[in-house]
Each structure stands twice: as C-alpha cells, then as structure tokens.
Amino acid sequence: MAHKNLTTLCYIEQDGSYLMLHRIKKKQDMNQDKWLGVGGHLEEGESPEDCLLREVKEETGLTLHSYRQRGIITFVSDEYPDEYMFLYTSDDFKGTLIECNEGSLEWVPKEKTGQLPLWEGDLIFFELLKDELPFFSLKLVYQGERLSAAVLNGEAMELLDERHTDGSLTGRVMARFFMHREGILHGTAHVWIIRPNGTNGFDVLLQKRSANKDSYPGCYDVSSAGHLTAGSDYLESAVRELKEELGIEAAPDELSFVGLRSELDKREFYGRTFFNREVSKVYAYEKTVEESQLILDSAEVESVLWMDHEECLLQMRTGVLNHCLNEKEILMLADWWKSRKSR
C-alpha cells in the first residue's frame, strides 16, 4: 500500500546535467507535461531511502551507489492533498537507461532546466541545490499551477510576477532571488519626491541605500522604490513603499504617473552576478516633505538628501555621486515637469 502523501524525488547528476523525466505517458497525471526528477510514493514499510532506490531502479534501470538527502519539500495545494517529498541527488550509479512507462528520460544541462515546463517552485529548489545549501525545509503553496507562497526554513520568501516589457503579466511567478540571478523581467514602482526650487526647476529627494543591502549598498537611489510582490499592482506598491521606507502615508491619487521605463543592469555583488531587469512605473509626489518628519527604515535607507535635478545629473555624469540611478528616468521626470508647468 502506497503512502499517498509521502514521496521521494531524485535528481541524478552526470557531466553537468540532470536526468529528467518528461511526464507524458501517464493518464490523469497531475504532473502531465512537466519535467521532474525520478521518484514516487513510499510503499508500506519502506523508508525514504528504500523508496528512492526502488523508484530509481524501476523508472530508469539505474542502481544508485551513493546519494544525498538534500531537503524536505512540503507541497500545499488547493486542488490536491498535501504532499511531503524527500529530495535527493546522486552522482554515483551504474546501469543502462531503460524506457520509462511514465514519460521520456533525458539528460538536461543544469543551466537549461529553467527553460522547461516545470512547477514554479522547482526553480527555487534547483537554486538551493546549486548553492550547496545545507539540508533545508521548503514549503511551496499552490493555487492551481500558480505558486502563491514559498517558505524556506520557516522564513517566507519574496515572490514576484514575471512581466512583459509593457508591464503586463506573463502568468509565471518566481522567487525574487532567482529573477535577479537569471535576469528575468519583473515589475518595480518608483516614486520621486520633488519640490520646486528658485531656479524654475525642481529638487529631487534621494535616498541613500543601507550599507547592508544585497544590491547597490550605500548608493543614492530613487526617493522610494520597490518590487511588485506577486499579485500586487504598481500604484499599490508605490504607496506601500513610501510608507515602509520613509514613513509617508500617501493616498493613491496624490501620486502622479510620469511614465513607464524598462532597464537592464548587470553588476556583481558579494561575488555573485546580479541582473536588475525591471519594468517600472514612475510616479511623482509633490506634497511638502520635511526631512525631520520622515521615519526611515534603517534596514533599507541610511539617509536622504535633497538635490537639484540638474545638479544630480551632473554629479552622475562626472562620477561624483555614488548612485544606482538611471539618467533616462531623471530626464523623463524633467520632461514631465516641463509639460506640466506649461499647461
């Protein structure tokens, strides 16, 4: 008798590839057309290791000589019973591949696994395996095939929607860290706090990012900015970030839409490549802001600084200002300011 809620899954490794099973043969398969490792349900009296060795032999014809248990994955779904999966990898085996009655077996280079039809949460544990993370517990919550929550070792992970260049949704949800590693387009909301100055121009409020940030630490940035978490929209996120980062409680109608802008920036932080590929809606906030009344989130913002926007551009171009700003965005803001004042 099989334990329907206890399973094993193994990714067999060879020459930089995983042995993947394309599930295309089994009828009424919840994993239909998905690519997975090999494994199955525990039988009565089996340990996870007993199940692992049996399932690998039955599905692939291979005999594992060694293996490592890497983690436990908890699946929660609104369509299927909860499942608890013991995750393994192995790079020591013998035998010849056989035809599998559940799908087609294929060696897939690790760097190409993300291009396959996968469960969205699989992308997360592939990265954890790549990082050689010590034994981990990962909880994945699904609504249909959409990943709605992920919790790693008891801490919630930030999930973002993948987006098209016009800001619309592709329908896929991924972990934030994975998007920045792979350069996947996601949404951000930018809010520029501005005030008129005595030169017929305007000042912008710059925030200096905390020195502990995982990207662009200690750099001057947009007044307030943040990712769009999965299921949220641009304006909602803009209002939220103002409150969280600076303590400003703004109503949605107090933000003026400036424009839509895409960006791709590639840097290295803490020895790892970081892609910032985002499509941003840019807003302006013109209500009076007193620095003394701001409540800065110290984990995000070290300090703030008012600066004439033209001086800001000059310091960016000459390398005086340590920043992660985008010149095109400030020019877009300047065009919006001119058109607004000319009405």
Side-chain angles (χ1 to χ4, degrees):
M1 178 180 177
H3 294 281
K4 292 185 177 181
N5 65 339
L6 297 177
T7 63
T8 60
L9 187 69
C10 183
Y11 286 94
I12 301 172
E13 304 173 80
Q14 179 178 259
D15 299 328
S17 296
Y18 284 134
L19 183 60
M20 303 283 287
L21 177 60
H22 189 196
R23 299 283 289 260
I24 55 175
K25 296 182 179 180
K26 193 176 179 181
K27 294 183 178 180
Q28 296 181 330
D29 185 359
M30 65 176 289
N31 296 306
Q32 181 65 34
D33 201 38
K34 295 285 195 298
W35 291 74
L36 307 171
V38 293
H41 294 88
L42 274 69
E43 299 288 348
E44 191 72 30
E46 281 189 328
S47 68
E49 291 72 28
D50 294 334
C51 176
L52 167 72
L53 296 172
R54 174 181 56 77
E55 287 285 350
V56 168
K57 184 69 173 178
E58 290 177 357
E59 293 187 351
T60 70
L62 302 178
T63 300
L64 300 184
H65 282 311
S66 68
Y67 47 84
R68 285 194 293 160
Q69 187 177 0
R70 309 296 296 277
I72 295 178
I73 315 295
T74 302
F75 293 98
V76 178
S77 168
D78 61 352
E79 294 185 355
Y80 303 102
D82 294 353
E83 179 182 330
Y84 305 90
M85 185 184 78
F86 301 92
L87 180 65
Y88 294 86
T89 57
S90 173
D91 59 4
D92 188 3
F93 57 91
K94 69 175 182 179
T96 302
L97 285 179
I98 62 173
E99 184 174 340
C100 179
N101 61 9
E102 294 190 359
S104 299
L105 292 166
E106 183 177 333
W107 290 101
V108 179
K110 292 180 181 179
E111 67 272 14
K112 294 186 177 181
T113 53
Q115 302 170 18
L116 301 173
L118 304 171
W119 289 98
E120 292 169 346
D122 293 12
L123 294 170
I124 297 177
F125 62 68
F126 274 143
E127 292 299 307
L128 302 179
L129 294 177
K130 183 192 299 184
D131 287 349
E132 288 291 331
L133 196 73
F135 189 88
F136 58 87
S137 173
L138 179 64
K139 179 180 178 180
L140 302 171
V141 182
Y142 286 91
Q143 294 178 342
E145 294 194 8
R146 181 181 174 87
L147 184 65
S148 61
V151 182
L152 176 61
N153 295 332
E155 294 190 11
M157 305 181 74
E158 187 172 2
L159 301 180
L160 309 178
D161 290 304
E162 182 185 32
R163 293 181 181 267
H164 297 293
T165 54
D166 64 356
S168 62
L169 302 175
T170 68
R172 295 207 303 172
V173 174
M174 301 177 199
R176 171 179 171 174
F177 80 93
F178 179 77
M179 288 185 152
H180 283 301
R181 285 189 182 183
E182 301 298 320
I184 296 172
L185 190 64
H186 56 276
T188 59
H190 290 188
V191 181
W192 287 94
I193 299 174
I194 62 177
R195 67 184 183 187
N197 59 31
T199 63
N200 287 326
F202 62 95
D203 298 331
V204 292
L205 184 71
L206 304 178
Q207 69 155 264
K208 187 176 184 182
R209 294 167 64 87
S210 167
N212 298 320
K213 293 286 288 183
D214 61 357
S215 60
Y216 310 100
C219 291
Y220 281 102
D221 200 356
V222 181
S223 309
S224 174
H227 293 81
L228 273 64
T229 55
S232 62
D233 63 26
Y234 281 98
L235 189 55
E236 169 191 356
S237 299
V239 170
R240 183 191 69 238
E241 292 296 334
L242 272 176
K243 172 62 176 176
E244 292 180 355
E245 293 186 351
L246 303 177
I248 296 175
E249 296 197 33
D253 61 5
E254 293 176 329
L255 300 184
S256 301
F257 178 64
V258 174
L260 184 74
R261 187 185 64 78
S262 296
E263 178 180 8
L264 172 58
D265 185 37
K266 180 182 178 182
R267 303 280 185 97
E268 185 173 298
F269 299 106
Y270 310 106
R272 187 183 296 278
T273 301
F274 181 93
F275 291 94
N276 196 36
R277 186 168 178 235
E278 58 187 37
V279 54
S280 307
K281 282 192 176 181
V282 181
Y283 299 91
Y285 181 75
E286 299 178 80
K287 291 193 69 175
T288 301
V289 171
E290 299 292 342
E291 289 184 53
S292 60
Q293 295 179 354
L294 295 177
I295 304 173
L296 306 185
D297 179 355
S298 60
E300 300 285 338
V301 184
E302 181 179 311
S303 60
V304 295
L305 174 68
W306 281 108
M307 185 179 291
D308 177 87
H309 84 281
E310 291 184 345
E311 177 64 22
C312 181
L313 284 170
L314 177 62
Q315 292 195 21
M316 290 167 60
R317 291 166 177 166
T318 56
V320 173
L321 189 69
N322 180 28
H323 70 94
C324 53
L325 299 165
N326 183 279
E327 182 174 326
K328 291 182 180 179
E329 184 165 320
I330 298 180
L331 292 173
M332 182 172 69
L333 184 64
D335 288 340
W336 170 85
W337 174 268
K338 290 177 183 177
S339 66
R340 181 177 174 281
K341 293 303 178 183
S342 64
R343 292 172 192 167

